[in-house]
Each structure stands twice: as structure tokens, then as C-alpha cells.
Amino acid sequence: MKGITRTFLTGLAAILPLLVTIVLLLWLSNTLENLLGTILQWVLPEMLYFPGLGLITGIGLIFALGLLLRAYVVQGIFNWVEGWMQRIPVVKTIHGTVRDVTRLFSSDIRQRFGEAVLVTLPGLEGKLVGFVTREDFSGLPDNLGGEGVIAVYLPMSYQIGGYTLMLPKERVEPLNLSLEDAMRYTLTAGVSARKHDN
């Protein structure tokens, strides 16, 4: 019986990520089509509307938003809205989690972190995966940083938190992984990892 259960769970683990991805993509495309398609049917003459126009319009609007967010003024408005959402008790939890996950897979990760590193803490034989977030402490209190000190963020698995440590540079060694692979490795507790090609 254990063998049957193990075989079933192995198959489930293999197919579940694919199914979840397909379901999410179908849900997003259906939502865009239903929402925007209905609006377009009201606005456009009947002969100009065709099935799928809502999805195409949604993709275009998302792309346009991406372009607009490059403008400084629009970024300020967007950051103000995000700050406002972070004050609402239940909304801030959902919004923060979704935002962090999407930033993980966007180029934003390169703006937030300098490089992936391995950190050795005093009294520990093990090492932790971390990300350099600051090397220049000018403008900050003297006891926060200093000569030969860097700030390293140590995320916890499954995005439940993390710590920012001020460490001497000799406690940190470069990790030969891309930021995306190192973050994926850390957030999945080492389950998701790819061999680095030299």
C-alpha cells in the first residue's frame, strides 16, 4: 500500500505544478476576456467585436501599464497606491505576498539585490544563502554599517520572513548562482535547484 501511495504522490508532484500553471493562465485569460470583452461589446459596434478581443486588449493594457511605470510621475502614483494598500489589514497580507512573488520572477530582483552569497555565522558550521543589499552606508548612522561591512539579506524559506545582517566582508563568499536560481533555492528550502553550468 505504501508503494502505491508513494507512486501516486510522485505522479501528483510531477503534474501539479503544470496543472496549476495551466489553470492560472486559463483563469487569467478567461477573466480578461469576460471583463474586458463585456465592456468592449458595450462600446464597440457588434461587427468590430470578436471572441478573444478582451484577452488581446487586456494584454495590451498590461503592456501599456509596464511602459507607463517607466515614467517617474506614474511610479510615484503607483507607489502611493501601494503604500495605501499596505495600511489595510487583510489586503496588505495578500498584496504583499503576491507582490513579492511576482517581483521574484521579474527583473526587479536585480535592482533589489547585488549578488547571491554564502554567509558563515560565528559558531555555526553550516552556511546560509544570502543576498547583498548594501555596501555603502553613507547617510546612515555610524553603528549601522562601517568600513568592511556589508548588509546581507537572509530570506527564510517559503517567503515567511527574513533577516538583514551587517556582516564583515570576510564572512561572505560569492555564490556561483544567478539571483533567480539562488532565490528559488532559498524560498523552496533547497527543493528547487538547478546545477550551475560553468
Side-chain angles (χ1 to χ4, degrees):
M1 188 65 179
K2 286 184 180 178
I4 294 171
T5 304
R6 187 177 297 124
T7 303
F8 176 78
L9 290 176
T10 301
L12 183 63
I15 197 70
L16 197 58
L18 180 63
L19 285 177
V20 169
T21 302
I22 291 171
V23 167
L24 282 175
L25 288 174
L26 288 174
W27 173 81
L28 181 61
S29 62
N30 285 336
T31 302
L32 287 173
E33 178 61 32
N34 290 335
L35 181 67
L36 294 175
T38 304
I39 295 170
L40 289 171
Q41 284 177 349
W42 288 342
V43 175
L44 295 175
E46 190 175 333
M47 61 180 175
L48 290 180
Y49 177 80
F50 58 89
L53 186 60
L55 176 60
I56 293 169
T57 305
I59 292 170
L61 288 173
I62 292 169
F63 185 76
L65 178 62
L67 288 175
L68 283 173
L69 283 173
R70 293 183 177 183
Y72 189 73
V73 175
V74 178
Q75 283 180 5
I77 294 169
F78 190 77
N79 289 337
W80 178 81
V81 171
E82 276 201 325
W84 179 74
M85 291 180 77
Q86 288 297 99
R87 295 186 189 120
I88 304 171
V90 177
V91 173
K92 73 177 180 180
T93 304
I94 298 168
H95 176 261
T97 303
V98 172
R99 183 194 59 211
D100 291 343
V101 170
T102 53
R103 284 182 178 172
L104 172 61
F105 299 105
S106 70
S107 60
D108 187 63
I109 189 174
R110 299 184 185 281
Q111 297 170 7
R112 294 164 66 204
F113 302 121
E115 68 173 322
V117 293
L118 283 174
V119 176
T120 304
L121 297 176
L124 290 179
E125 293 183 20
K127 296 182 180 183
L128 300 169
V129 176
F131 301 90
V132 176
T133 57
R134 180 181 286 269
E135 296 187 46
D136 179 19
F137 292 91
S138 57
L140 295 173
D142 292 337
N143 60 350
L144 191 58
E147 189 67 33
V149 174
I150 59 175
V152 179
Y153 174 63
L154 303 175
M156 297 172 71
S157 299
Y158 301 105
Q159 195 63 32
I160 59 172
Y163 301 95
T164 303
L165 302 179
M166 310 311 146
L167 297 168
K169 286 187 178 181
E170 58 266 17
R171 297 256 171 98
V172 172
E173 62 180 285
L175 181 60
N176 198 16
L177 274 179
S178 69
L179 289 175
E180 292 84 357
D181 287 340
M183 184 62 82
R184 186 180 298 111
Y185 177 85
T186 304
L187 294 183
T188 62
V191 173
S192 177
R194 285 187 280 192
K195 185 177 179 181
H196 182 76
D197 296 325
N198 291 320

